[in-house]
């Protein structure tokens, strides 16, 4: 493209460097904004808690219900996985053909009462 | 008798024409073999999508679009209608095929932005709001973009093409497509395929880099609990971010604006129906249209050349450098952090977007070093910061080279 005909290595290096720095600058700016926002909201919550008669320190240790549930679930999973060996869970029904033998025949086994010979 | 002979010759001529027009013959005429190779490539991608499940949601439509566009004579896509970044509206109306019309969504930058609305509605920025320092890791992971930008120039690509190739390092499919459609539409096929293939390969590419750059002790670092984030903060965040970034970088406004719109829909809680629609129906429809039309740009003439191989190599380099950049910055930040406030460097690699795959890799690697280490939520911070970072980087490249 003609538009880029005069672009050389110095321009490319400068573009890469400036581009990378702008990404950093914009995201660092966002850190500032987010930190300020976090500061305001955390203080607001603490002030509300103190006004309601609670301790501001509690706020720092607050853990959401979802996190407690997740921690318990993980603990249970780890505990249960230690208790049991994992079995193959493969159930097969193999038809086995055997030659007839009176020794394992049910007709000659349990269903018939023995008869006493006189 | 003469009539019979005449009708016989007519049928033979018709059969000859039919045989000549059939795609099968075209494979063996001139450069037709290239189409055959492309069909083979598309079948390979279909195999990877279906059997190996490599990003199947996008790779499958991309591969099928590639298959359709390479049937000789089918004329479903006409790259000439979009030559030199212009759209020939008159010819498009007269001769355009199905995929030509679908491709307008890519060319005009509509599909990536719509996908970003869905991504925003599915993303929880809570971990990033709780730990804003994650933005730094997200920024450092964009190193891959700018290093590859220079690498592509060294290999002889034009500056606008370098920008499109570099953005693969952002590990963000829609952003790569958005930027490439604007800067170097000829490279759309190879770049989209490289971006999505490498995103699927994140669990293969990243772990060796993460292990090579960290010690076992560093990988075992346990991070402190993230603070609670209120609903109000989550609602204000997308509005503030959209305002700040759009004012500083108007060229990034379409991507960031759409991402934040989707997120606001989710966090506000007042438009549940819209939020669910953009997360599911809209997202799915756009993914189909985007995938097929991007795949269709991978014609034999644009794909089968040494530039595609260079793009694939540069793409993996971009990914690797991005991952390394995040890990190295996390290590650097630890030099100044107090004991107990140190960052596990494994979360740095999640700064390349690839949400949530890259964060999952950090979690897995962290647990390998110490089974009681849970890094997932900490890694989600840099991960979503990476999405913002790559959109900002795309905006900068567009401002420089667009």
């Amino acid at each position: 493209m003609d538009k880029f005909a005069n672009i050389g290595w110095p321009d490319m290096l400068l573009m890469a460097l400036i581009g990378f720095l702008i990404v950093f600058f914009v995201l660092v700016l966002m850190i500032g904004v987010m930190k300020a926002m976090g500061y305001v909201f955390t203080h607001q919550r603490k002030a509300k808690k103190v006004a309601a008669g609670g301790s501001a320190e509690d706020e720092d240790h607050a853990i959401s219900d979802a996190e407690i549930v997740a921690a318990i679930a993980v603990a249970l999973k780890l505990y249960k996985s230690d208790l049991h060996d994992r079995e193959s869970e493969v159930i097969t029904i193999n038809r086995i053909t055997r030659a007839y033998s009176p020794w394992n025949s049910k007709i000659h086994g349990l269903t018939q009462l023995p008869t006493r010979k006189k | 008798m003469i009539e019979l002979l005449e009708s016989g010759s007519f049928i033979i001529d018709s059969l000859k024409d039919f045989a000549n027009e059939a795609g099968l013959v075209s494979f063996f005429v001139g450069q037709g073999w290239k189409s055959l190779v492309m069909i083979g490539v598309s079948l390979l991608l279909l195999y990877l999508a279906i059997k190996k499940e490599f990003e199947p949601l996008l790779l499958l439509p991309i591969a099928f679009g590639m298959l359709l566009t390479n049937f000789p004579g089918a004329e479903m896509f006409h790259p000439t209608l979009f030559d030199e970044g212009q759209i020939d509206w008159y010819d498009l109306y007269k001769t355009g095929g199905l995929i030509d019309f679908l491709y307008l969504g890519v060319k005009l930058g509509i599909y990536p932005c719509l996908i970003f609305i869905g991504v925003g509605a599915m993303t929880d920025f809570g971990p990033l709001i709780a730990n804003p320092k994650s933005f730094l890791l997200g920024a450092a992971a964009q190193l891959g973009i700018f290093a590859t930008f220079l690498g592509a120039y060294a290999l002889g690509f034009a500056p606008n093409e370098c920008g499109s190739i570099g953005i693969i390092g952002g590990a963000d499919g829609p952003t790569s497509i958005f930027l490439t459609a604007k800067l170097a539409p000829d490279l759309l096929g190879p770049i989209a395929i490289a971006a999505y293939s490498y995103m699927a390969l994140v669990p293969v590419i990243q772990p060796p880099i993460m292990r090579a750059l960290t010690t076992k002790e560093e990988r075992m670092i346990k991070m402190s609990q993230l603070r609670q984030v209120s609903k109000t903060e989550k609602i204000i965040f997308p509005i503030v971010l959209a305002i700040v970034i759009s004012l500083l970088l108007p060229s990034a406004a379409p991507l960031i604006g759409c991402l934040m719109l989707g997120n606001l829909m989710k966090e506000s809680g007042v438009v549940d129906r819209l939020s669910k629609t953009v997360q599911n129906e809209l997202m799915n429809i756009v993914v189909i249209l985007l995938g097929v039309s991007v795949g269709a740009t991978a014609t034999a003439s644009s794909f089968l050349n040494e530039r595609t191989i260079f793009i694939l190599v540069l793409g993996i380099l971009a990914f690797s450098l991005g991952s390394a950049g995040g890990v190295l910055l996390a290590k650097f930040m630890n030099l100044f952090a107090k004991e107990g406030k140190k960052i596990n460097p494994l979360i740095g690699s999640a700064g390349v977007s690839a949400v949530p795959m890259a964060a999952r890799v950090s979690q897995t690697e962290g647990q390998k070093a110490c089974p009681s280490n849970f890094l997932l939520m900490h890694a989600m911070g840099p991960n979503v910061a990476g999405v913002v970072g790559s959109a900002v980087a795309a905006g900068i490249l567009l401002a420089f080279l667009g």
Side-chain angles (χ1 to χ4, degrees):
Chain A
M1 276 194 169
D2 294 333
K3 191 176 156 187
F4 303 113
N6 295 325
I7 292 183
W9 267 110
D11 306 293
M12 291 296 282
L13 284 168
L14 212 60
M15 252 193 276
L17 186 68
I18 293 174
F20 197 40
L21 288 177
I22 294 176
V23 172
F24 256 95
F25 169 73
V26 171
L27 297 190
V28 166
L29 191 71
M30 281 313 300
I31 294 178
V33 173
M34 297 319 300
K35 284 233 171 193
M37 226 168 83
Y39 182 80
V40 170
F41 280 97
T42 312
H43 273 259
Q44 253 183 9
R45 264 205 306 272
K46 280 182 183 174
K48 269 186 195 167
K49 198 132 199 173
V50 172
S55 158
E57 294 301 309
D58 294 347
E59 180 65 28
D60 295 333
H61 301 291
I63 299 168
S64 71
D65 288 348
E67 283 167 347
I68 294 171
V69 171
I72 293 170
V74 170
L76 279 172
K77 168 96 171 72
L78 289 173
Y79 175 69
K80 285 193 169 182
S81 62
D82 281 346
L83 279 184
H84 293 283
D85 288 338
R86 188 151 181 88
E87 294 179 11
S88 71
E89 294 172 357
V90 177
I91 299 167
T92 55
I93 302 172
N94 288 333
R95 198 177 286 275
I96 299 167
T97 51
R98 286 203 186 95
Y100 172 78
S101 160
W103 290 101
N104 66 0
S105 167
K106 285 183 180 172
I107 299 167
H108 297 102
L110 296 172
T111 51
Q112 287 192 339
L113 290 169
T115 50
R116 181 183 286 180
K117 286 186 179 174
K118 291 178 183 175
Chain B
M1 186 67 183
I2 292 166
E3 278 176 12
L4 197 68
L5 277 173
E6 275 177 359
S7 75
S9 70
F10 170 74
I11 290 170
I12 289 167
D13 286 345
S14 303
L15 283 174
K16 270 185 187 170
D17 288 345
F18 177 72
N20 285 332
E21 279 177 17
L24 212 57
V25 177
S26 309
F27 285 139
F28 307 102
V29 179
Q31 299 282 306
W33 60 271
K34 285 188 174 176
S35 300
L36 200 61
V37 174
M38 285 307 293
I39 289 173
V41 173
S42 63
L43 293 177
L44 174 72
L45 292 178
L46 280 174
Y47 170 79
L48 291 176
I50 297 166
K51 188 75 180 172
K52 300 284 176 188
E53 296 192 17
F54 279 11
E55 290 280 332
L57 285 177
L58 259 150
L59 206 52
L60 191 142
I62 286 178
F64 208 82
M66 193 191 270
L67 184 71
L68 290 177
T69 202
N70 284 293
F71 288 134
E75 307 254 321
M76 296 187 80
F77 179 62
H78 302 87
T80 48
L81 295 175
F82 307 97
D83 268 353
E84 293 180 7
Q86 303 296 320
I87 302 170
D88 190 338
W89 290 102
Y90 181 71
D91 276 358
L92 180 71
Y93 172 70
K94 276 184 76 180
T95 59
L98 169 70
I99 294 175
D100 291 319
F101 288 100
L102 295 185
Y103 181 68
L104 283 175
V106 177
K107 184 75 197 160
L108 301 172
I110 298 169
Y111 297 151
C113 291
L114 290 179
I115 287 195
F116 254 47
I117 298 180
V119 171
M122 287 195 276
T123 305
D124 178 12
F125 284 98
L128 181 62
I129 302 170
N131 184 15
K133 273 189 220 158
S134 304
F135 268 121
L136 281 178
L137 300 175
Q142 309 313 316
L143 171 73
I145 294 179
F146 293 99
T148 311
F149 173 70
L150 295 176
Y153 190 65
L155 286 175
F157 285 94
N160 55 326
E161 294 172 336
C162 298
S164 295
I165 296 168
I167 203 72
I168 300 173
D172 197 329
T175 307
S176 303
I177 291 168
F178 178 81
L179 190 68
T180 308
K182 303 261 179 202
L183 291 185
D186 294 349
L187 301 181
L188 196 57
I191 286 178
I193 285 160
Y196 282 109
S197 308
Y198 292 143
M199 272 165 69
L201 289 172
V202 161
V204 180
I205 297 170
Q206 283 193 328
I209 298 166
M210 294 156 84
R211 285 195 289 266
L213 294 175
T214 52
T215 61
K216 175 120 194 210
E217 287 71 40
E218 284 172 327
R219 294 199 289 274
M220 287 172 72
I221 293 175
K222 285 189 180 174
M223 293 178 68
S224 54
Q225 177 89 36
L226 290 172
R227 78 169 173 85
Q228 243 185 309
V229 176
S230 68
K231 192 182 172 193
T232 321
E233 279 178 278
K234 285 187 174 179
I235 292 172
I236 292 174
F237 175 79
I239 301 170
V240 170
L241 196 127
I243 292 172
V244 172
I245 294 184
S246 302
L247 285 179
L248 287 173
L249 265 174
S251 49
L255 288 176
I256 292 290
C258 289
L259 184 73
M260 293 302 132
L261 168 65
N263 190 249
L264 187 61
M265 282 178 181
K266 174 186 171 238
E267 299 300 351
S268 66
V270 292
V271 285
D272 261 357
R273 274 167 50 194
L274 300 188
S275 174
K276 279 178 189 155
T277 303
V278 294
Q279 285 180 47
N280 299 295
E281 291 85 353
L282 181 71
M283 184 90 158
N284 293 340
I285 291 168
V286 177
V287 161
I288 296 168
L289 302 180
L290 179 80
V292 173
S293 42
V294 164
T297 61
T299 53
S301 56
S302 71
F303 200 88
L304 285 184
N305 50 52
E306 61 178 11
R307 286 153 64 91
T308 301
I309 296 165
F310 286 154
I311 289 170
L312 293 175
V313 173
L314 286 164
I316 201 160
L317 187 77
F319 248 73
S320 309
L321 285 172
S323 308
V327 174
L328 290 174
L329 186 77
K331 280 169 72 103
F332 182 71
M333 285 163 76
N334 276 347
L335 295 177
F336 308 99
K338 291 177 200 158
E339 205 54 51
K341 292 272 181 190
K342 286 196 187 286
I343 300 167
N344 190 317
L346 293 177
I347 70 165
S349 63
V352 295
S353 320
V355 183
M357 188 87 87
R360 273 194 219 140
V361 172
S362 301
Q363 159 77 6
T364 313
E365 287 303 305
Q367 285 214 317
K368 274 184 195 165
C370 173
S372 61
N373 211 352
F374 294 94
L375 295 175
L376 188 64
M377 289 317 283
H378 297 286
M380 280 308 290
N383 209 189
V384 293
V387 179
V388 177
S390 58
V392 169
I396 292 166
L397 290 170
L398 196 58
F400 282 158
L401 304 163

